[in-house]
Amino acid sequence: MSYRFNQNRACEYFPCHKVADDSKFNCLFCYCPLYLLKKDCGGNFKYSENIKDCSFCLVPHGENGYDHIMEKMEEVIKRCGE
């Protein structure tokens, strides 16, 4: 299913995270739509001076990233309406 995976090797930042195998690196969610969920996103983040740092998170870029994000999109939509 090609809509679940996109790779942009022409991007000057590819891959934007250090990975062992960049052939499986998914660029589909270049900007993670779960950022606004803060601690509830399910990713590998940390807070630095009250700012969410996702630079070590590979959840959106991994093999199950699409499914993980789609499972949480209802909550994203709900919070955007608040």
Side-chain angles (χ1 to χ4, degrees), residues 42-64:
N44 309 10
F45 63 90
K46 61 183 178 181
Y47 279 96
S48 177
E49 297 183 26
N50 212 24
I51 297 172
K52 187 176 178 184
D53 177 0
C54 305
S55 58
F56 296 102
C57 182
L58 295 173
V59 171
H61 305 295
E63 289 186 57
N64 297 316

Side-chain angles (χ1 to χ4, degrees), residues 9 15-16 39 48 57 69 81:
R9 289 184 171 269
C16 58
K39 63 178 176 53
S48 177
C57 182
I69 289 176

Side-chain angles (χ1 to χ4, degrees), residues 16-40:
C16 58
H17 300 274
K18 290 185 179 186
V19 292
D21 181 3
D22 65 13
S23 70
K24 296 180 180 180
F25 191 87
N26 192 350
C27 301
L28 183 63
F29 297 108
C30 181
Y31 173 81
C32 182
L34 305 182
Y35 184 84
L36 66 90
L37 295 181
K38 300 181 180 175
K39 63 178 176 53
D40 300 324

